[in-house]
Amino acid sequence: MNDGPLTLMAVHAHPDDEATSTGGILARYAAEGVRTVLVTCTDGSCGDGPGGVKPGDPGHDPAAVARMRREELESSCEILKISDLEMLDYGDSGMMGWPGNDAPGAFWQTPVEEGAARLAELLRHYRPDVLVTYDENGFYGHPDHIQANRITMAALAMTELTPKVYWTTMPRSAMQRFGEVMREFGEDMPEPDPAETAALAEIGLPDEEITTWVDTAAYGGQKFAALAAHASQGENIFFLKMGQERFTELMGVETFVRVKDATDAPVPENDLFAGLR
């Protein structure tokens, strides 16, 4: 573990991911004096361009989108008081099945060992006490999220570091409430086919399987503002439609599964740093 200040590292796939599932903990622990390190693996170039132009459509300039999203990410980091931002700058692979999956330089095409070696260097440099990333399915099957999990776990195996390691998740009860709120705000939700329904049922975990529930409601304003900083992707960020108060009500607790631990802190726990302070 660190001899200096406690350190939290979050490994995410794209600009804006840092705010969605970990904006609360990044803001909370920064306020508590923890060093917060964000590693963003891709350049976000498969995001929307100015005016909402979509990838593959005329006028979509991936390089320009990447530059714009880097600026938005830096603004989000300022809002969340993130201490250090590290960009691996792999190409955004897009959603599963998109042509970008096979593009040269795409994160999905990068050998795991290569990405892991680069991340291992950052682990040795920052020596995090707590490391957060996605689960093996990238929470919902996004190729870059899956790859972020793969390189993170491989990088840990390359080092002799023993941080507490967490995967982001959501309780199934919260997933149900989320669906209700989407309908409340008039989102067009077509009737999914049975395969989609089965896939959605696998997102998140039963409440009793979640090890860690962190109250971040006091930082809901920062989390909402960090999401709003990614203005170019506003069409894709449903949470911004509900306003800060309702957003905080719905997203004021961030949940995780502890997958590696050397502290023997009992679970369920309400602090990622339980056993370390």
Side-chain angles (χ1 to χ4, degrees):
M1 301 295 179
N2 263 327
D3 293 328
L6 291 170
T7 299
L8 165 67
M9 177 181 284
V11 180
H12 280 292
H14 313 97
D16 76 26
D17 289 332
E18 81 289 340
T20 306
S21 60
T22 59
I25 59 165
L26 288 166
R28 170 180 164 166
Y29 289 119
E32 293 178 3
V34 172
R35 184 180 194 182
T36 52
V37 181
L38 171 64
V39 180
T40 302
C41 296
T42 79
D43 59 8
S45 57
C46 284
D48 288 358
V53 62
K54 303 297 182 184
D57 288 349
H60 187 275
D61 181 348
V65 171
R67 288 192 297 270
M68 175 178 62
R69 298 198 70 185
R70 172 63 183 258
E71 293 174 0
E72 292 175 339
L73 177 61
E74 290 172 351
S75 295
S76 173
C77 288
E78 290 179 10
I79 292 166
L80 297 173
K81 309 300 182 186
I82 290 171
S83 308
D84 299 271
L85 170 63
E86 297 284 353
M87 296 284 291
L88 299 186
D89 275 330
Y90 290 111
D92 188 340
S93 309
M95 299 295 286
M96 191 68 80
W98 284 18
N101 295 178
D102 301 318
F107 190 36
W108 187 238
Q109 289 296 312
T110 300
V112 169
E113 296 77 11
E114 176 190 321
R118 293 182 61 195
L119 183 57
E121 290 182 13
L122 296 176
L123 289 174
R124 296 186 186 103
H125 175 73
Y126 289 107
R127 302 184 67 82
D129 301 283
V130 171
L131 181 62
V132 176
T133 192
Y134 315 102
D135 63 23
E136 292 165 314
N137 190 46
F139 184 59
Y140 68 99
H142 193 296
D144 288 331
H145 290 221
I146 294 170
Q147 190 77 330
N149 168 277
R150 290 174 177 173
I151 72 161
T152 299
M153 302 314 290
L156 285 166
M158 292 177 177
T159 72
E160 296 182 356
L161 303 175
T162 57
K164 295 179 77 176
V165 180
Y166 294 87
W167 292 346
T168 60
T169 190
M170 284 188 70
R172 296 268 168 82
S173 59
M175 293 297 297
Q176 181 178 349
R177 288 198 302 275
F178 177 64
E180 293 168 355
V181 170
M182 288 187 73
R183 286 188 288 272
E184 176 187 338
F185 280 85
E187 285 296 288
D188 183 17
M189 297 178 66
E191 191 68 28
D193 64 33
E196 290 175 337
T197 301
L200 287 171
E202 294 302 312
I203 294 178
L205 288 173
D207 292 33
E208 63 272 14
E209 293 183 20
I210 292 173
T211 64
T212 312
W213 306 69
V214 184
D215 183 354
T216 61
Y219 305 93
Q222 278 177 268
K223 181 172 178 175
F224 186 84
L227 269 175
H230 297 280
S232 68
Q233 309 306 305
E235 183 181 328
N236 304 317
I237 303 176
F238 161 75
F239 304 108
L240 295 176
K241 300 178 182 180
M242 64 179 70
Q244 179 180 315
E245 183 176 350
R246 194 64 188 277
F247 171 83
T248 300
E249 178 186 327
L250 185 67
M251 304 289 286
V253 175
E254 293 181 352
T255 49
F256 308 87
V257 173
R258 195 172 80 191
V259 295
K260 184 178 178 183
D261 172 58
T263 69
D264 293 324
V267 293
E269 60 188 358
N270 60 12
D271 179 8
L272 297 177
F273 289 89
L276 295 172
R277 58 180 180 177

